Amino acid sequence: MSAPASNKLGLWGVIMVIYFTVAGGAFGIEGLVANSAPGMAIILILVTPFIWSVPTVLMVTELATAMPVAGGYYAWVKRGLGPFWGFLQAWTSWLYGLVIAASFAVLFATYTSSFLTQAFGNDILDHNALLNWLVSAVLIAVFVFLNIRGAHAVGDSSKLFAVMVFAPFIVMIVLALIHWLAHPVAFWLPVTPPKTGLVSAFGLGLFVVMYNFLGWDGISTILGEIENPLKVIPRAMRIALPIIILAYLLPVLAGLSAGVDWTTWGDAAGFPELAAAIGGRWLGIWMAVGGMFCAAGLFNAMILTNSRIPFSLAADKYLPQGLTAQHRVYGTPVVSIIVCAVIYAVLSVQTFSSLLNVTVVLYGVSLLLQFAALIALRIREPRMRRPFKIPGGLPVVLLIALLPAVILVLAVVTTLQDPDAGPPLLKLALPLLVAGPVLFYITRSVFKRGAPDVHVPIEHDEAVL
């Protein structure tokens, strides 16, 4: 799918979409501090991007510039590993996108409740499940309309949302720094929770920080809707990565200086409460408004990237052809957007925390398939033109693929050993993963019926031997 030229994303539109598909602000990372203690939380924020995000950024940049086609990672895996694995890639990606988008709708309702409590002392959303869900449903309806208008509209709105998110955090960080310089304290202590070793503390917070640093590949599904993706994608990744790391690190450092009991972070103390402790009630209210814009921006960007997956599957005849219908003016996959929105609304009855671990597992499987395709294409298509190529040859490619695989296994093993988190993870994630191969053969028989897949073109560099 290619958007009209006037509806395509430029550099800063792409940066803001990446920002909101990955982070959108520090909101949601508070539980990391409670799980792993202040010192380990800081270590995880600094270390995890280099073993989880940077390999993904390199992989996405190489494949996006080599194959800037609609469907992104689905097309890459299909070309590198074959239709079966391509389908599994699309299935797991669509699933985690559905789950994470629903969690953002839940997060919006959570920060709306925080705003009402901070500003008016009204906690009605905390005690009325139906009203809480209706807040999420309104968010979904508004951004379905915006997404139907196209990627350019989403990019422009993301710029505005970013300003609304950054502003209260900048004020909070400045006030916290002034206070800390006047009254310095060792806010990074303790490094680990009481009676918890370094490895256990690292593992306890790993899923939270992985969740907050996933999504770098989401931009690939809209490559046909980006102006000159061969130049824009590498530049956008280089700019977005340090912005996102700092957008988590600095607010956490500021929040730790507030003197709020770190064990209450995430449950009793989110960033609105931390901001209020630092700057007063007015800053807490402002931060709650920022949280609402953060959740809205996250959800807005996720609809954009996630809705292109069923469209691409339908184009390959794995899903009903009605999902390929495009808006006659904006060229957007209008039916696919609406179908995804209905699923988001159903899933948003879940709680934010209950969706986190299964999201990371689904994303991890999707990510490993992309790395497998990267390796396969390096071996099978050595002459493929790669405007951006990971340096160091195949050994370096294997190494950067190994890093996220190791951290994913560590996170899963640590979570499975937790009697509270382990059983729910198995109960939710395993059936969803097993359903992928089953659905491949069902959809191939019911919808595809021998029809060929859409060809994924590549260019060859004759200079490569």
Side-chain angles (χ1 to χ4, degrees):
M1 185 184 73
S2 181
S6 61
N7 207 15
K8 291 193 173 187
L9 284 170
L11 175 63
W12 279 99
V14 172
I15 291 170
M16 289 299 101
V17 170
I18 292 173
Y19 172 70
F20 277 109
T21 53
V22 177
F27 301 103
I29 206 168
E30 297 96 328
L32 172 64
V33 175
N35 288 344
S36 295
M40 185 56 67
I42 295 168
I43 293 170
L44 279 163
I45 293 172
L46 289 171
V47 171
T48 306
F50 293 96
I51 55 179
W52 178 246
S53 296
V54 171
T56 306
V57 167
L58 292 171
M59 176 269 293
V60 170
T61 305
E62 175 168 319
L63 293 178
T65 53
M67 292 177 284
V69 296
Y73 42 54
Y74 165 57
W76 305 340
V77 175
K78 183 174 66 172
R79 176 78 195 210
L81 303 178
F84 173 78
W85 297 106
F87 181 90
L88 292 189
Q89 160 66 33
W91 169 248
T92 54
S93 298
W94 190 26
L95 278 180
Y96 89 72
L98 291 172
V99 173
I100 200 172
S103 75
F104 295 151
V106 172
L107 190 63
F108 178 80
T110 299
Y111 278 103
T112 301
S113 177
S114 180
F115 167 72
L116 293 175
T117 302
Q118 294 264 358
F120 306 107
N122 189 326
D123 60 355
I124 185 172
L125 293 182
D126 292 335
H127 306 291
N128 190 318
L130 176 60
L131 192 57
N132 191 290
W133 177 83
L134 286 174
V135 171
S136 298
V138 169
L139 173 83
I140 293 169
V142 168
F143 287 106
V144 163
F145 172 77
L146 184 62
N147 267 264
I148 289 173
R149 296 181 65 86
H152 195 272
V154 174
D156 285 346
S157 60
S158 295
K159 296 172 190 176
L160 171 63
F161 294 156
V163 171
M164 300 301 292
V165 171
F166 284 140
F169 276 117
I170 291 171
V171 173
M172 173 184 167
I173 291 164
V174 170
L175 292 178
L177 178 61
I178 293 171
H179 181 269
W180 186 80
L181 290 174
H183 307 282
V185 294
F187 58 78
W188 53 86
L189 296 177
V191 175
T192 64
K195 300 179 181 180
T196 304
L198 285 172
V199 174
S200 296
F202 188 88
L204 285 171
L206 197 51
F207 255 132
V208 177
V209 75
M210 287 169 69
Y211 176 90
N212 283 278
F213 277 103
L214 61 78
W216 295 94
D217 54 345
I219 196 71
S220 73
T221 64
I222 58 166
L223 288 172
E225 302 167 70
I226 296 173
E227 289 181 19
N228 196 356
L230 299 186
K231 291 185 178 179
V232 166
I233 291 296
R235 291 182 63 195
M237 290 291 186
R238 285 196 299 268
I239 295 170
L241 181 61
I243 289 176
I244 289 171
I245 294 173
L246 292 174
Y248 282 125
L249 179 63
L250 296 181
V252 168
L253 295 179
L256 289 172
S257 72
V260 176
D261 181 3
W262 61 268
T263 63
T264 65
W265 278 45
D267 292 326
F271 275 108
E273 290 74 26
L274 296 170
I278 292 170
R281 180 169 173 266
W282 65 272
L283 186 56
I285 294 171
W286 191 7
M287 187 64 73
V289 173
M292 293 166 64
F293 277 100
C294 164
L298 290 164
F299 184 77
N300 190 28
M302 185 52 65
I303 296 180
L304 175 67
T305 58
N306 186 239
S307 62
R308 273 50 176 179
I309 301 173
F311 174 88
S312 296
L313 285 173
D316 272 344
K317 309 290 194 303
Y318 288 109
L319 292 177
Q321 289 301 285
L323 289 167
T324 62
Q326 295 177 248
H327 194 280
R328 65 179 185 274
V329 176
Y330 304 115
T332 50
V334 59
V335 175
S336 182
I337 291 171
I338 292 172
V339 168
C340 288
V342 171
I343 300 173
Y344 302 149
V346 173
L347 291 177
S348 63
V349 299
Q350 298 292 318
T351 62
F352 180 65
S353 59
S354 70
L355 298 170
L356 187 150
N357 288 353
V358 68
T359 300
V360 175
V361 171
L362 293 172
Y363 176 79
V365 172
S366 164
L367 194 64
L368 294 181
L369 285 172
Q370 293 174 63
F371 277 109
L374 174 70
I375 295 167
L377 287 165
R378 279 293 189 101
I379 296 170
R380 294 170 53 188
E381 299 281 359
R383 293 173 49 244
M384 183 169 71
R385 184 173 178 270
R386 295 173 171 88
F388 172 87
K389 186 175 183 179
I390 300 169
L394 187 59
V396 172
V397 170
L398 292 172
L399 176 61
I400 69 164
L402 183 64
L403 290 174
V406 169
I407 194 173
L408 177 66
V409 170
L410 176 62
V412 171
V413 170
T414 304
T415 302
L416 290 178
Q417 292 173 345
D418 186 331
D420 295 324
L425 177 64
L426 288 174
K427 182 180 178 181
L428 287 171
L430 276 181
L432 293 174
L433 291 172
V434 171
V438 175
L439 286 173
F440 172 74
Y441 291 104
I442 291 174
T443 57
R444 192 172 66 166
S445 299
V446 175
F447 300 115
K448 195 170 182 66
R449 297 180 181 179
D453 282 2
V454 175
H455 177 63
V456 181
I458 63 171
E459 295 183 9
H460 290 95
D461 187 348
E462 298 301 330
V464 178
L465 299 178

